[in-house]
Amino acid sequence: MPQSDQAHALYPGSFDVLTLGHLDVLRRAARMFPKVTIAVAHNPSKSVSLFTVDERLDMLRECTADFANVQVDHFAGLTVDFARRIRANVILRGLRAISDFEYELQMAMMNESLDPDVYTVFMAPAPKFSFLSSSLVKEIAHFGGDVTEYVPAPVAARVRARMEAAK
Ligand code: ADP
């Protein structure tokens, strides 16, 4: 594991939809690591998505434009393979509650087994974001609720437009 001044963190996820919780974790990571790549995973097991990968990437680029050391990317396949390809030595995951823990730890152990040179780092968001999830935001939007408090402004606008179009 190289020294921390060379650390490059990969923050993988579905980001369908990007929430203020995701952004909070990213903001914290951008202050800790010299370089962070936030990447949308093409996840075949999550077939029902609100936004396409391209739309999610557009929103991510818009919402992370102010972070000088953050790059936006996407990948299919194993996270550790992508990490190796972009020379990231840390996989960053958010942890909200105990309910996240079991799955996240299982995945971290598996990734460690697949590539012991890539470490998983868990990051908690600010408490006010710890109840937020993409699926909850989508459910609220689906039933006509206002999601502006939970997602970045460009994402809220896109969610509204998508819901209008579906009417
Ligand atoms: P995935 O399908 O890989 O779980 P998500 O987009 O749902 O992708 O989440 C990406 C990462 O962000 C995961 O590590 C998840 O635990 C974390 N995360 C999601 N919502 C929050 C939140 N409100 N605060 C902190 N971390 C979060």
Side-chain angles (χ1 to χ4, degrees):
M1 175 84 170
Q3 297 296 305
S4 64
D5 62 348
Q6 295 167 351
H8 175 187
L10 165 64
Y11 184 22
S14 310
F15 305 112
D16 180 56
V17 297
L18 179 72
T19 70
L20 292 178
H22 291 134
L23 266 196
D24 192 52
V25 165
L26 183 68
R27 187 174 299 112
R28 289 166 182 226
R31 293 176 68 175
M32 285 181 65
F33 298 101
K35 189 170 170 187
V36 181
T37 297
I38 183 166
V40 175
H42 298 256
N43 190 342
S45 68
K46 292 198 176 179
S47 52
V48 185
S49 55
L50 184 60
F51 294 111
T52 65
V53 169
D54 282 342
E55 288 170 329
R56 285 178 248 165
L57 288 169
D58 277 351
M59 284 180 267
L60 269 178
R61 287 195 193 98
E62 202 173 342
C63 298
T64 61
D66 290 343
F67 298 105
N69 58 338
V70 171
Q71 291 177 353
V72 175
D73 212 328
H74 64 102
F75 68 100
L78 292 177
T79 305
V80 286
D81 287 343
F82 180 63
R84 215 177 291 135
R85 200 155 74 234
I86 64 169
R87 297 177 171 277
N89 45 15
V90 168
I91 293 173
L92 174 74
R93 295 286 290 178
L95 260 196
R96 284 161 293 188
I98 304 282
S99 50
D100 283 338
F101 186 74
E102 201 173 332
Y103 172 69
E104 291 292 344
L105 191 68
Q106 191 182 15
M107 214 157 53
M109 299 295 105
M110 181 51 82
N111 283 333
E112 169 95 30
S113 155
L114 290 168
D115 188 340
D117 291 330
V118 181
Y119 296 169
T120 296
V121 169
F122 296 117
M123 181 94 68
K128 64 180 171 182
F129 299 126
S130 62
F131 66 94
L132 260 181
S133 72
S134 299
S135 49
L136 214 49
V137 167
K138 282 186 276 193
E139 207 169 311
I140 293 166
H142 179 74
F143 290 114
D146 182 9
V147 299
T148 46
E149 257 185 72
Y150 314 120
V151 298
V155 176
R158 293 246 200 169
V159 170
R160 263 194 305 274
R162 184 57 47 98
M163 293 303 140
E164 282 300 317
K167 274 183 187 169

